[in-house]
Amino acid sequence: MADIEERYRAYLTCLDERRFADLGTFAHDPVVHNDRTLRLTEFQDLLKRDATEIPDLRYAIERLVVQGDQVACRIRFDCTPVATFRGIPPTGERVSFVEHVFYRYENGKIAEIWSLIDTDAIREQLTP
């Protein structure tokens, strides 16, 4: 269990440091994200887009549960979108929201991801 937890924390550090070229160290190619099979390059593009839309995006773990090859995490984001994010235009204001995400690991790498971002919280904070 500690090994998967350590790998998961290292994965989030990789995202925080924008080392998208290193994603193959942490995720399979292809990886399944919300029931869509993505090549590693497509997964990198998804994460790069988020980082472009929100340059100060940082992954702060609020809750982390590791059981066998499964990881469940509640991640808090306190950041300022500079471009439209998830269909919501930016206002220059800071927002706080969470993502609930579940991972299934296979052979030490992420094989499947199920992610739910609280877009209602973002919309409420950015809508005048």
Side-chain angles (χ1 to χ4, degrees), residues 69-90:
D69 65 352
Q70 306 275 329
V71 172
C73 193
R74 175 183 165 102
I75 303 170
R76 168 135 335 253
F77 301 98
D78 294 303
C79 51
T80 308
V82 299
T84 298
F85 179 70
R86 309 291 168 146
I88 305 165

Side-chain angles (χ1 to χ4, degrees), residues 84-101:
T84 298
F85 179 70
R86 309 291 168 146
I88 305 165
T91 63
E93 297 295 319
R94 216 164 157 71
V95 296
S96 180
F97 63 96
V98 296
E99 175 184 20
H100 294 94
V101 62

Side-chain angles (χ1 to χ4, degrees), residues 16-37:
D16 279 343
E17 294 175 353
R18 308 301 191 251
R19 293 184 289 115
F20 301 116
D22 294 344
L23 284 177
T25 303
F26 302 102
H28 282 278
D29 187 7
V31 64
V32 177
H33 181 271
N34 288 344
D35 296 325
R36 284 183 34 222
T37 301

